[in-house]
Amino acid sequence: MEQIPVNKFPTASANDAYVNPYAFDNKGNMEQLSSTYSSSIFFRRWAATIIDFLLIALTTGAAAYLFKEVPQLLVLAPLLIAICYYLLLEGLTGYTAGKFALRIQAVNANGQPPGFVKGLIRTLLRLVDTNPVLFGGLPAGISVLATRKKQRIGDMAANTYVVKVKDLPPTSRKKTIVMTIAFPVYAVLVLVLTIMALANIDTTPKEPERFLSVDGQFQITAPADWRKDTSLNDEADISISNLFAEKYLFVLTESKSDFEEGYTLSDYHQDMEVALELTASDKIYYPTAETFIGNYPAYQLSFESEYDGMKIAYIVTTIETDTHYHQVFAWTLASKYDSVQAELHDVVSSLEETIPEA
């Protein structure tokens, strides 16, 4: 009877439930074992990566909230958490939470956990080939599907493999102890960080923010979620926004001494209308109304215009104080205008002279 060559494995695609006893007796054949897998190993690895990413994101989110007063940690926290998660868990046990759930394991050529050095190589290259922010994990996916041994770039560099647990020898007692300790510790860490973050959420209303003009003579008051935003207009004296809610405002200020005698607020407003080309066909113009901003006389108008394919709603206010003329531009998406109109009007109406310190 012809013997089956000892360097061959039956293909797993014919019967995926097949457990190859040869893998148990010959621990130096992970390369051959991984070569027998069909594309199903890719889907297991992909699902495991999603689970790991969600756990890391939850941990990072909690940690970022707790240490939000330390900007350096906000940048380093995601990187440090991801490195420790993969390096310690995979290096010591061959598992991550995702791999453990999907019953796959990272191993070296002998079928043992990768160890610290190989784990470090796998982890560092994961920042490139499996990074969901950088390339969406596409390089790793392509590599696993395209290579004979179903390896991502980090596997090839570290000479490691990801195989099904059922194809490996029974887990050693030492490995079981490490696994038993590692996962509960990590789960407790995530739970503690999340509870601490929730407990530290400040639910008290925050005081409005005051934003001074460049010369310090005027100020605008806005809700606490507005921020200084110098990108809106290079010549603005005050420039603020709430980027997440898509609300924007800036103030242009000119000294009255720069204009001829007899120049009025009405003249200033008309010049502003001409500069904005409010008669252009792409704008929907609403008539000007006379009003007061505090005790200052003002004109206010609104219009809609299309910019870069989006409909934008504007409120433009010209204001005369004792020494200056001001143009206050506030805008948002036309679709949001009805819901934020009152807030924009309140911010515009907050323009006032600063009170000199005694």
Side-chain angles (χ1 to χ4, degrees):
M1 180 181 295
E2 183 180 356
Q3 288 187 331
I4 298 175
V6 295
N7 63 341
K8 297 292 184 182
F9 279 91
T11 58
S13 57
N15 182 3
D16 203 42
Y18 176 82
V19 179
N20 195 325
Y22 185 71
F24 291 77
D25 298 329
N26 298 271
K27 296 180 181 179
N29 289 278
M30 293 301 103
E31 177 179 347
Q32 293 180 350
L33 175 60
S34 60
S35 300
T36 67
Y37 290 143
S38 67
S39 59
S40 64
I41 194 70
F42 162 78
F43 293 104
R44 290 199 190 198
R45 295 185 68 165
W46 177 78
T49 300
I50 295 298
I51 293 173
D52 294 331
F53 175 74
L54 292 176
L55 283 175
I56 292 172
L58 178 62
T59 310
T60 301
Y65 184 84
L66 288 174
F67 302 109
K68 60 182 180 294
E69 302 300 330
V70 188
Q72 297 87 345
L73 287 179
L74 292 181
V75 176
L76 293 176
L79 183 62
L80 291 176
I81 289 173
I83 289 177
C84 291
Y85 178 84
Y86 287 108
L87 177 58
L88 296 180
L89 289 183
E90 273 192 342
L92 293 175
T93 72
Y95 290 102
T96 61
K99 284 185 172 63
F100 189 70
L102 274 295
R103 308 310 298 146
I104 54 178
Q105 185 180 358
V107 295
N108 60 19
N110 296 318
Q112 297 299 314
F116 182 84
V117 174
K118 290 182 181 294
L120 179 61
I121 295 172
R122 285 174 55 84
T123 299
L124 293 178
L125 284 173
R126 187 182 293 276
L127 299 176
V128 177
D129 66 2
T130 322
N131 191 329
V133 178
L134 190 59
F135 298 113
L138 191 60
I142 293 173
S143 180
V144 170
L145 288 172
T147 57
R148 181 177 62 86
K149 293 175 283 188
K150 304 298 185 291
Q151 292 175 298
R152 67 176 179 87
I153 298 171
D155 289 318
M156 290 186 280
N159 192 28
T160 56
Y161 309 88
V162 174
V163 298
K164 298 173 184 177
V165 174
K166 66 182 179 63
D167 292 335
L168 289 170
T171 305
S172 68
R173 187 175 186 84
K174 180 180 179 181
K175 191 191 304 180
T176 302
I177 293 173
V178 174
M179 289 282 300
T180 304
I181 295 174
F183 287 121
V185 167
Y186 186 78
V188 170
L189 175 63
V190 172
L191 182 62
V192 169
L193 285 173
T194 303
I195 292 174
M196 290 176 64
L198 291 174
N200 281 275
I201 293 177
D202 187 3
T203 58
T204 58
K206 294 184 179 180
E207 291 293 321
E209 292 281 344
R210 288 188 171 88
F211 300 92
L212 283 174
S213 61
V214 174
D215 60 12
Q217 297 186 45
F218 299 91
Q219 67 181 24
I220 281 277
T221 303
D225 54 1
W226 286 66
R227 296 288 182 269
K228 185 177 180 181
D229 186 348
T230 57
S231 67
L232 302 182
N233 188 295
D234 293 338
E235 299 179 357
D237 292 87
I238 300 175
S239 184
I240 60 176
S241 71
N242 181 336
L243 291 175
F244 295 107
E246 296 179 289
K247 295 175 284 193
Y248 309 89
L249 181 144
F250 68 79
V251 182
L252 298 174
T253 297
E254 297 180 87
S255 173
K256 293 171 72 172
S257 62
D258 293 337
F259 298 91
E260 296 179 357
E261 187 176 348
Y263 191 83
T264 66
L265 176 62
S266 177
D267 297 327
Y268 187 71
H269 185 79
Q270 289 177 14
D271 288 345
M272 181 273 299
E273 286 185 314
V274 171
L276 290 177
E277 299 179 343
L278 291 179
T279 57
S281 59
D282 66 332
K283 295 181 175 68
I284 302 174
Y285 172 65
Y286 300 94
T288 297
E290 292 188 53
T291 186
F292 283 89
I293 299 299
N295 296 320
Y296 308 129
Y299 290 102
Q300 193 168 73
L301 62 86
S302 58
F303 65 93
E304 290 183 16
S305 181
E306 188 167 313
Y307 176 77
D308 205 16
M310 297 181 294
K311 289 186 177 180
I312 311 296
Y314 297 85
I315 301 172
V316 182
T317 309
T318 51
I319 307 167
E320 180 182 7
T321 59
D322 293 338
T323 57
H324 291 80
Y325 291 118
H326 308 275
Q327 298 176 44
V328 184
F329 294 83
W331 71 96
T332 186
L333 293 176
S335 59
K336 295 186 174 184
Y337 181 71
D338 289 341
S339 61
V340 303
Q341 178 183 7
E343 181 179 335
L344 292 179
H345 276 286
D346 287 344
V347 177
V348 171
S349 299
S350 71
L351 180 77
E352 60 181 347
E353 292 180 324
T354 56
I355 300 174
E357 295 184 1

